[in-house]
Amino acid sequence: ERMGELTKARALLGKLSRVPISQSWRTLLEGALLEARASQTATARRIFKFLLQQAPWYGPVWHEACRFEQRCNHLDEALAIAEFGLQQLPRYGPLWFCALRLHECAPRERSDQMRATRALVERGVRSISKDLVWKLWFEAAQVEERAGNLSRSRAAYVQSVRACAPNLRWKVWLGGARTELCHRHYEVAAALLARAHDESPSKTRAIVMLEQSRLHELCGNAEQARKLLKGACSLEAEGLHAKLREQCDDEFKRVSASVSYTHLTLPTKA
């Protein structure tokens, strides 16, 4: 395919006609995606239809079929596939998240859209794998925030924290802080970032410190912003990813060069 020889790629896929579907579904799925990339939507749709009929117990088939219809801007068809897939595989997490995004994008009245989204989340938390319940609430919180429902967003974050494993809780605090920051609730955002800092593992703490630095810069505390950036950069010796270190360096240079700030006094605790 990368060499532009689609005929040969199709010939290879054609040799799978006598191979049991349990052994060939992944390759056939890749064939459907190949046809989609080649703009052969009718052929891709036929392959997806075949896979959904012959291998309905494989979650990635439903997921990719949904994404295919979404990319074709057929949101109703994508939602229908998602609903059928969730009936077949109610514990398959990626399909719940895909359905959530589809409901948010669906061309409906905002009230109907949010009602359907909330119903989906309520169903999902009862069916999805236990280790993904927190993430579904987390995604729901962000949907509510984008819809302008801050109180509902906060309530969903609370549910996410309750369902979350301790080693992942910092991600919820970080998400909540970003939501509060979007609504200019700087003190609340600072408090949530402080909790994220305290609960984050050392290898990801630089991510939280970077967010804290941005908040302090926004609030006019340039010196504290620089201090946090230096601390984040110093974590390289403890295994900080090179890309994150580069991001910290860029932020430090930008903060140091900045001459205008919005002033607001915040606690200087890292």
Side-chain angles (χ1 to χ4, degrees):
E1 179 190 4
R2 293 180 180 178
M3 297 171 63
E5 298 179 354
L6 295 183
T7 302
K8 291 184 178 181
R10 289 171 179 138
L12 288 172
L13 292 170
K15 295 179 180 180
L16 298 173
S17 58
R18 297 183 180 181
V19 179
I21 192 67
S22 60
Q23 299 175 20
S24 63
W25 71 268
R26 288 185 180 85
T27 309
L28 290 173
L29 180 58
E30 185 57 38
L33 296 174
L34 180 150
E35 297 294 351
R37 291 191 291 269
S39 300
Q40 299 297 318
T41 55
T43 304
R45 190 171 282 113
R46 284 198 299 272
I47 299 174
F48 276 122
K49 184 177 180 180
F50 171 80
L51 286 169
L52 292 175
Q53 292 174 344
Q54 300 298 320
W57 48 85
Y58 294 116
V61 173
W62 293 98
H63 187 214
E64 291 297 340
C66 283
R67 294 181 63 194
F68 167 73
E69 295 295 350
Q70 184 181 14
R71 287 192 294 269
C72 293
N73 204 30
H74 298 159
L75 298 183
D76 290 337
E77 290 84 347
L79 271 171
I81 291 172
E83 285 296 334
F84 279 118
L86 291 173
Q87 292 174 20
Q88 292 281 341
L89 303 166
R91 292 175 60 82
Y92 186 62
L95 201 53
W96 285 105
F97 299 123
C98 184
L100 188 63
R101 289 189 292 271
L102 288 169
H103 275 291
E104 187 179 11
C105 297
R108 307 175 192 162
E109 291 292 332
R110 178 56 61 87
S111 58
D112 294 337
Q113 184 186 73
M114 294 310 300
R115 192 178 301 112
T117 299
R118 290 163 191 156
L120 179 78
V121 172
E122 292 292 339
R123 285 169 47 208
V125 296
R126 294 194 298 268
S127 303
I128 201 170
S129 299
K130 294 294 184 182
D131 57 343
L132 291 177
V133 170
W134 77 273
K135 188 169 179 59
L136 189 57
W137 279 120
F138 183 87
E139 295 291 337
Q142 297 191 329
V143 171
E144 295 286 1
E145 190 272 327
R146 287 191 289 270
N149 302 318
L150 180 58
S151 60
R152 286 184 177 272
S153 177
R154 286 170 169 168
Y157 277 126
V158 169
Q159 294 289 349
S160 182
V161 168
R162 289 175 176 171
C164 193
N167 65 310
L168 297 173
R169 202 172 291 153
W170 69 275
K171 294 186 177 182
V172 185
W173 300 130
L174 185 61
R178 287 170 174 166
T179 294
E180 298 294 341
L181 186 58
C182 287
H183 291 266
R184 300 191 177 188
H185 297 157
Y186 301 125
E187 289 85 356
V188 179
L192 291 172
L193 284 172
R195 297 196 70 168
H197 181 276
D198 292 342
E199 297 190 25
S200 61
S202 58
K203 65 181 180 180
T204 57
R205 191 160 297 143
I207 298 172
V208 181
M209 294 173 73
L210 192 58
E211 291 293 330
Q212 287 178 307
S213 173
R214 288 168 177 164
L215 175 60
H216 281 285
E217 180 199 1
L218 178 64
C219 297
N221 301 331
E223 189 59 37
Q224 182 64 12
R226 293 189 189 99
K227 179 181 176 182
L228 285 162
L229 283 172
K230 286 181 179 179
C233 291
S234 69
L235 291 177
E236 184 199 16
E238 300 175 22
L240 179 62
H241 194 279
K243 185 176 181 180
L244 184 55
R245 175 176 169 77
E246 182 180 350
Q247 187 177 3
C248 290
D249 290 338
D250 291 343
E251 286 287 323
F252 183 79
K253 292 175 184 177
R254 184 179 59 78
V255 171
S256 297
S258 179
V259 294
S260 61
Y261 299 95
T262 301
H263 291 282
L264 180 70
T265 301
L266 284 177
T268 58
K269 179 181 178 181

